[in-house]
Amino acid sequence: MHTVSHAKHLVGALLALGLAVTTAPSHAVQKGVTLIPGIKNIIAVASGKGGVGQTTSAAAIGAGLAKRGHKTVVIDFDVGLRNLDMIMGCERRVVFDFINVIQGDAKLKQALIRDKRLDTLYVLPTSQTRDKDSLTLEGVEAVLEELRGEFDYI
């Protein structure tokens, strides 16, 4: 139930930004999709089942893009089960998280963690103590809007 709600928030935020959501991998722009100025791509890694490698895949994709010189931010949407920061090796540097930003308790720049190995890679961790209901469509849209002009890939 929570995974479906979580996925709906992510898909809703992407659709609100005028992006098409597809399950088929494609590098071509779909007909009728409005490109977001200043952003090359938003990639979402999601599944209806937990434990199949979404976080690991997102970390690997983000690191690969950053290694190629693209300014990249990887966002952990798995509220309550935060793992991205551990996979990326920055768990001891988390002060503020995605939910703190959405709820106005911190600025986005305070929550973003720059990778120590790749200068173009950033991580936006999520909360371990909140639940997925803390993600609001308006909050996710606001964060994506703020990130879109600064990063090549989200």
Side-chain angles (χ1 to χ4, degrees), residues 92-112:
R92 293 184 181 185
R93 297 170 49 210
V94 175
V95 178
F96 296 107
D97 60 48
F98 190 24
I99 303 302
N100 293 134
V101 175
I102 286 174
Q103 295 183 343
D105 299 326
K107 302 261 185 225
L108 181 58
K109 296 234 184 239
Q110 292 175 295
L112 283 172

Side-chain angles (χ1 to χ4, degrees), residues 43-148:
I43 301 170
V45 179
S47 173
K49 177 163 178 24
V52 296
Q54 302 95 310
T55 301
T56 304
S57 297
I61 292 166
L65 291 167
K67 195 169 184 176
R68 288 195 163 100
H70 301 287
K71 192 169 181 186
T72 304
V73 60
V74 185
I75 305 172
D76 192 343
F77 272 84
D78 203 356
V79 181
L81 298 173
R82 185 179 93 197
N83 284 313
L84 180 64
D85 55 304
M86 290 192 299
I87 289 171
M88 303 295 281
C90 61
E91 68 275 10
R92 293 184 181 185
R93 297 170 49 210
V94 175
V95 178
F96 296 107
D97 60 48
F98 190 24
I99 303 302
N100 293 134
V101 175
I102 286 174
Q103 295 183 343
D105 299 326
K107 302 261 185 225
L108 181 58
K109 296 234 184 239
Q110 292 175 295
L112 283 172
I113 300 171
R114 186 173 173 187
D115 188 84
K116 290 184 175 183
R117 297 155 297 197
L118 297 166
D119 290 343
T120 56
L121 180 60
Y122 292 77
V123 175
L124 181 56
T126 197
S127 175
Q128 281 183 316
T129 59
R130 310 272 177 93
D131 64 22
K132 289 176 177 47
D133 293 333
S134 301
L135 278 177
T136 64
L137 179 59
E138 296 79 18
V140 172
E141 286 176 345
V143 170
L144 292 176
E145 180 70 26
E146 193 171 342
L147 290 170
R148 69 177 230 187

